Amino acid sequence: MHNTGADGTAADGGPEATDHAPHADHVDHVDHVFLALERELAVFLRRARASSGEMAREVHPDLEPAAYGLLVRLADIGAQRATDLAGFFGVGKATMSRQLHALEDLGLVAREPDPADGRAVLVRITDEGRDRFSRVREGRRAQYARRLASWDRTEVADLARLLHQLNAEQEGECC
């Protein structure tokens, strides 16, 4: 048995050696690298959910944490159809409709006719929504910069690249 750290690597820094090659039919095999990944992602996601709630309240005290992600998407991509937003987030039309109505009631998003299809409606972030969101996002970025100040910039870039790769892989599975 190798001495394995919390990151699932052996004492020599490489992935832990196992007695068995991974096989789909060998269910009792534990791949410590993926176990460590699962553990770290669980902590990261739990903290991200809590952070999203805090940021949502900073944008507007009545904003639901789940709706914060809609503002992120609309600020980054621009106006979109509700069905496209629902597909991106992997939620049903009813859930998306409820969240968009809440954002609209708060004055953070507005609906407008789709110039490409007069029957369709686009949802866009309002000027007030963009101002409130931008203030919170800038604060978050400053917080990241403070927390990662001891990291080499290439490490930060590598983390961003790997997270992007992970997200792209996930999008490929669901779409």
Side-chain angles (χ1 to χ4, degrees), residues 53-102:
E54 292 169 12
M55 291 183 300
R57 285 186 296 279
E58 287 179 42
V59 170
H60 193 285
D62 297 328
L63 183 63
E64 292 181 29
Y68 180 83
L70 289 170
L71 291 179
V72 172
R73 182 74 175 167
L74 292 170
D76 289 348
I77 302 298
Q80 294 210 301
R81 292 181 182 187
T83 54
D84 294 335
L85 290 167
F88 178 80
F89 287 103
V91 300
K93 291 179 187 178
T95 299
M96 183 55 57
S97 179
R98 183 183 58 76
Q99 289 178 349
L100 290 174
H101 280 296

Side-chain angles (χ1 to χ4, degrees), residues 24 36 39 42 96 98 116 169-170 172:
R39 195 172 34 249
M96 183 55 57
R98 183 183 58 76
E169 293 276 335
Q170 295 301 315

Side-chain angles (χ1 to χ4, degrees), residues 88-166:
F88 178 80
F89 287 103
V91 300
K93 291 179 187 178
T95 299
M96 183 55 57
S97 179
R98 183 183 58 76
Q99 289 178 349
L100 290 174
H101 280 296
L103 285 168
E104 197 171 22
D105 290 346
L106 296 174
L108 303 175
V109 302
R111 297 172 195 259
E112 59 190 27
D114 183 344
D117 181 354
R119 300 166 297 164
V121 173
L122 295 175
V123 180
R124 66 169 177 81
I125 192 168
T126 62
D127 289 342
E128 180 177 349
R130 185 175 307 283
D131 290 345
R132 287 174 174 252
F133 169 76
S134 294
R135 239 185 348 264
V136 172
R137 183 180 244 184
E138 288 168 16
R140 182 178 183 174
R141 286 181 181 161
Q143 187 178 47
Y144 283 152
R146 283 190 305 276
R147 286 186 177 167
L148 301 176
S150 66
W151 288 36
D152 184 272
R153 288 191 60 87
T154 57
E155 291 175 320
V156 176
D158 286 345
L159 177 60
R161 179 185 55 77
L162 290 169
L163 287 171
H164 174 77
Q165 184 177 338
L166 178 63

